[in-house]
């Protein structure tokens, strides 16, 4: 790894958390409108809050179960978290409880994590996300946030 100085704007953790949440939520809504569900996927942002990279395990594992896709996404995010310039990560998937469905979004920075569930309703292109509910704890992990 080269040690060189780069001039870039580093976002604080609160800004990174907000940006990762926004990008993850919008990507999840796009998938919901395209497929009617959101299979587990991951997202990373660099420490400037730029360069969003998504990981869709369904592309490599077309016949995998939801649990296998979740495990593949977690593994990818854990490997990515070790990268020098990952400032935020997100894990996104559909969550179901009884007859209710929602978009689960877990976002993390190096010092904080947040897990929200957006209830959704609709069909086809008209899917809408409701007001998010903060979930206790996290879906998995923490993967990036450090417990001090």
């Amino acid at each position: 790894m080269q040690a060189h100085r780069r001039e870039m704007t580093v976002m604080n953790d609160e800004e990174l958390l907000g940006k990762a949440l926004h990008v993850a939520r919008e990507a999840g809504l796009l998938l919901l409108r395209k497929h009617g569900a959101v299979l587990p996927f991951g997202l990373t942002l660099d420490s400037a809050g730029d360069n969003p990279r998504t990981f869709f395990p369904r592309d490599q594992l077309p016949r995998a179960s939801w649990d296998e896709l979740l495990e593949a996404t977690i593994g990818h995010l854990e490997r990515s978290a070790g990268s020098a310039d990952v400032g935020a990560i997100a894990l996104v998937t559909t969550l179901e409880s009884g007859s209710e469905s929602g978009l689960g979004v877990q976002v993390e920075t190096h010092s904080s994590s947040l897990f929200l569930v957006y209830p959704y309703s609709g069909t086809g292109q008209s899917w809408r996300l409701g007001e998010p509910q903060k979930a206790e704890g996290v879906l998995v992990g923490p993967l990036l946030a450090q417990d001090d």
Side-chain angles (χ1 to χ4, degrees):
M1 207 158 86
Q2 285 184 310
H4 64 277
R5 295 174 58 86
R6 292 189 313 193
E7 296 301 320
M8 65 178 206
T9 306
V10 175
M11 295 182 111
N12 69 36
D13 271 19
E14 191 175 319
E15 292 168 328
L16 273 171
L17 208 63
K19 185 159 185 183
L21 178 63
H22 174 77
V23 173
R25 183 184 64 230
E26 291 304 308
L29 185 56
L30 204 71
L31 288 172
L32 186 60
R33 289 179 173 160
K34 188 173 181 181
H35 301 292
V38 180
L39 295 172
F41 75 92
L43 168 83
T44 61
L45 293 178
D46 65 21
S47 56
D50 295 325
N51 200 18
R53 291 204 166 123
T54 52
F55 173 72
F56 298 99
R58 174 62 92 195
D59 295 344
Q60 291 85 21
L61 306 165
R63 291 179 182 77
S65 70
W66 186 88
D67 286 338
E68 291 166 330
L69 294 173
L70 183 63
E71 285 301 313
T73 304
I74 292 166
H76 173 80
L77 289 173
E78 286 174 336
R79 288 186 300 279
S80 298
S83 172
D85 195 35
V86 170
I89 62 172
L91 171 64
V92 186
T93 189
T94 292
L95 297 174
E96 295 177 349
S97 176
S99 62
E100 295 181 4
S101 295
L103 182 66
V105 182
Q106 176 179 322
V107 292
E108 294 182 38
T109 64
H110 288 284
S111 67
S112 57
S113 62
L114 178 64
F115 179 33
L116 296 176
V117 178
Y118 293 85
Y120 58 70
S121 60
T123 58
Q125 291 296 307
S126 67
W127 286 101
R128 288 176 306 287
L129 297 179
E131 284 301 308
Q133 294 153 13
K134 188 171 183 182
E136 288 302 313
V138 289
L139 181 60
V140 297
L143 304 172
L144 184 63
Q146 304 297 314
D147 288 332
D148 292 328

